[in-house]
Amino acid sequence: MTTRAKWLASLLVLAGIAGAGLVKPAGAGQAGKSPVKVFILAGQSNMEGQGAVKASPNSQNGGQGTLEYLVKAPATAEQFKHIVDSSGKWVVRNDVWIWYLGREGNLTVGYGARSDRIGPEFQFGHVMGAHFDNQVLLIKTAWGGKSLMTDFRPPSSGGQVGPFYTEMIKHVKDVLGNLKAHFPDYDGRGYEIAGFGWHQGWNDGCGAEAVAQYEKNMVNFIRDVRKDLGVKDLPFVIANSGFGGREQQNERRLGIMNAQAAAAKYPEFKGTAVCVETRDFFRPPEASPSKQGYHWNGNAETYFLIGDAMGKAMVDLLKGSASQAPSSAAKAGPSK
């Protein structure tokens, strides 16, 4: 066989192997460009997410407020059409990765408190994925029933540092230090910690002292997170604790909302922090999967809209800080 014949034969063999799916196609890997844009989402059970995905046979109110209902109902189908494909299956975004306390993968439904729930991460991730050509990574660190005064207590507030503040920072650094292990498609070309989202407040609203401390603790939390993650002026979005909607009259609940808004308005945070209003996203029990008010009645529309508002607010902050230097944390050593 001539040299040219051997070469042609080799090409045919390789083509056959590639056709059989045994050769990895050129260009396969992470869907978005580098550096990876990293967003941390933190809080308590409402950042975990209690928005119901499926309408079970026993669902109250005919499944209203579930994600399945929302993608089909005439009043909401247009707004939710981007989350299902042409066959009606949930969209899976490979340009947006998510890590949530050991659960990890491409963004889709099921990264709420349980696999049949969504939280703010869902639409927040869709907004970030639509905004960036870069690969996006969401790192969610949220646990049920946690306060800012005690559980997430920031170092600058004095006293014992909250164990879940410590866990949050640890998880973020562990994931970023081992990106290739968590997301094998990562191309190894670096990341930027681009923003932080916070949705919390129920537990602190249960006691007068926690309400009184909340503004100070929130301000210290923002300062300390920026310091511990090594990102000066890290964009920070707070989704306020708007349970009960515009009819909320409980002074402690209103106190938490006021404290959250006041913290974001500190002069030192101008252009880098914002508090978004969530009260208009409250849906009553009769239009929701449950009557669990402190979990937004399990309404997926509520969690979707919170994530949407947080995402759009984050985009606005990022546009205002386009000249911000990359995080020094991006140089914190190679991924394993």
Side-chain angles (χ1 to χ4, degrees):
M1 184 181 288
T2 66
T3 301
R4 178 175 175 76
K6 290 180 180 178
W7 176 71
L8 288 171
S10 297
L11 284 181
L12 289 171
V13 170
L14 285 173
I17 294 173
L22 299 177
V23 171
K24 190 174 184 179
Q30 68 180 53
K33 298 177 182 178
S34 289
V36 178
K37 298 288 187 176
V38 180
F39 295 90
I40 296 99
L41 301 175
Q44 59 178 122
S45 61
N46 286 294
M47 181 56 85
E48 284 187 301
Q50 305 289 339
V53 172
K54 295 183 178 181
S56 69
N58 298 322
S59 295
Q60 68 170 25
N61 308 320
Q64 289 186 63
T66 65
L67 211 56
E68 282 188 340
Y69 182 93
L70 293 160
V71 298
K72 297 174 183 176
T76 52
E78 179 66 22
Q79 185 176 19
F80 285 80
K81 68 180 182 180
H82 65 284
I83 69 172
V84 290
D85 62 22
S86 57
S87 63
K89 295 181 180 178
W90 303 118
V91 164
V92 179
R93 295 194 73 125
N94 61 358
D95 61 337
V96 181
W97 295 327
I98 182 167
W99 183 95
Y100 171 32
L101 301 182
R103 294 156 57 187
E104 57 195 35
N106 297 326
L107 182 70
T108 187
V109 302
Y111 281 97
R114 304 198 306 264
S115 61
D116 61 348
R117 296 287 187 271
I118 64 164
E121 82 294 326
F122 181 65
Q123 177 61 6
F124 181 90
H126 277 286
V127 174
M128 293 298 106
H131 177 70
F132 286 108
D133 291 330
N134 301 69
Q135 187 71 32
V136 171
L137 168 62
L138 310 181
I139 301 177
K140 193 165 86 161
T141 55
W143 299 267
K146 300 295 179 281
S147 71
L148 179 59
M149 184 176 74
T150 302
D151 302 298
F152 277 102
R153 189 174 187 84
S156 295
S157 287
Q160 183 176 351
V161 176
F164 289 89
Y165 179 92
T166 302
E167 280 291 297
M168 174 187 70
I169 298 297
K170 177 179 179 293
H171 282 310
V172 171
K173 291 183 176 181
D174 284 350
V175 172
L176 294 180
N178 295 279
L179 266 181
K180 188 71 174 177
H182 292 290
F183 301 98
D185 284 344
Y186 171 55
D187 65 13
R189 296 182 181 179
Y191 63 84
E192 295 175 2
I193 301 178
F196 193 105
W198 178 252
H199 186 40
Q200 184 274 344
W202 177 269
N203 274 48
D204 292 272
C206 293
E209 182 58 29
V211 175
Q213 289 190 27
Y214 200 95
E215 180 180 331
K216 178 191 74 173
N217 287 333
M218 190 80 259
V219 169
N220 287 338
F221 185 87
I222 296 171
R223 291 170 179 161
D224 289 345
V225 165
R226 289 173 169 178
K227 177 182 177 182
D228 288 337
L229 294 181
V231 188
K232 184 178 184 294
D233 295 331
L234 176 68
F236 208 106
V237 174
I238 303 165
N240 77 352
S241 185
F243 313 110
R246 295 292 181 178
E247 303 303 314
Q248 179 62 262
Q249 297 296 319
N250 184 293
E251 289 298 325
R252 287 178 281 104
R253 299 292 163 206
L254 295 174
I256 293 294
M257 286 185 255
N258 291 337
Q260 290 168 329
K265 291 179 181 177
Y266 270 49
E268 68 186 273
F269 300 151
K270 184 177 181 180
T272 66
V274 66
C275 180
V276 297
E277 179 62 70
T278 66
R279 278 176 285 187
D280 294 327
F281 307 147
F282 178 77
R283 300 291 181 264
E286 55 269 22
S288 299
S290 80
K291 300 177 182 179
Q292 204 170 32
Y294 52 86
H295 284 158
W296 294 104
N297 296 321
N299 197 298
E301 183 181 17
T302 299
Y303 285 98
F304 176 97
L305 292 173
I306 291 171
D308 191 60
M310 292 181 76
K312 290 174 179 175
M314 184 65 73
V315 168
D316 287 343
L317 290 180
L318 291 168
K319 287 178 178 177
S321 60
S323 61
Q324 179 178 319
S327 166
S328 60
K331 303 175 183 178
S335 296
K336 299 177 181 177

